[in-house]
Amino acid sequence: MNKTKTYILIAAVLGIWGTIGYKIINGLSPDNPVTIEQNYNVVFNPKISTQIDTFSIQNVEKDPFLGTLASNKKTGDMAARVLPKTKLPENNPKITYGGLIKKQNASDQVFVVNINNNQHLLKKGQVVDSVTLLKGNTKTITIRYKNKPQTITRN
């Protein structure tokens, strides 16, 4: 009985090692598949559509986002309305006060003034871009633009 188990185990081991060897040998020299080149004579001719898609624009009475009715309904001729003449605002420069620069033991004061986002260092009485610096302290400055005095506070 002992010999029969040994013979069965030897046959199983040889079968397993034979399968492994066969897979290795086939993996090293695989058979390349035969490819047959086929020449197709295919021409792509799309059908040309001669139909024209038409659409129309309609006034929507309901707001698609809010779900409410539109409140502004404009009717009438725009040319028939006469707009009242309004005085155009003057093109005043944008002026901001940045601060004060002063030496510790000197009386000269230099003010940091931003005119139209350009930084200028001004002393009292100096003129830059038609803006005259009249007076100032650490919190406010007084300027004159087109003969109109204005007080500007520090940011």
Side-chain angles (χ1 to χ4, degrees), residues 2 7 13 33 49 65 90 96 107 114 125-126 131 138 144 155:
N2 222 359
Y7 292 131
V13 168
S49 177
F65 301 106
E90 294 181 10
T96 57
S107 62
N114 295 318
Q126 270 190 316
V131 175
T138 57
R144 183 185 317 129
N155 295 342

Side-chain angles (χ1 to χ4, degrees), residues 18-108:
T19 306
I20 292 173
Y22 176 75
K23 296 240 182 202
I24 290 174
I25 292 173
N26 275 345
L28 293 178
S29 61
D31 294 333
N32 290 331
V34 178
T35 57
I36 301 171
E37 189 175 319
Q38 297 179 353
N39 293 328
Y40 292 108
N41 190 5
V42 178
V43 179
F44 179 68
N45 291 324
K47 294 181 181 178
I48 299 173
S49 177
T50 57
Q51 226 175 11
I52 297 175
D53 188 18
T54 59
F55 65 94
S56 62
I57 298 175
Q58 299 173 354
N59 289 336
V60 178
E61 299 294 326
K62 191 174 184 181
D63 187 356
F65 301 106
L66 298 176
T68 59
L69 295 176
S71 62
N72 300 9
K73 220 178 180 186
K74 295 182 180 180
T75 58
D77 188 16
M78 291 294 275
R81 282 196 238 167
V82 176
L83 297 176
K85 290 185 179 179
T86 58
K87 186 176 179 182
L88 295 175
E90 294 181 10
N91 214 4
N92 290 338
K94 180 181 176 186
I95 302 172
T96 57
Y97 176 44
L100 173 68
I101 301 172
K102 177 181 169 184
K103 287 186 181 178
Q104 198 163 9
N105 294 329
S107 62
D108 287 341

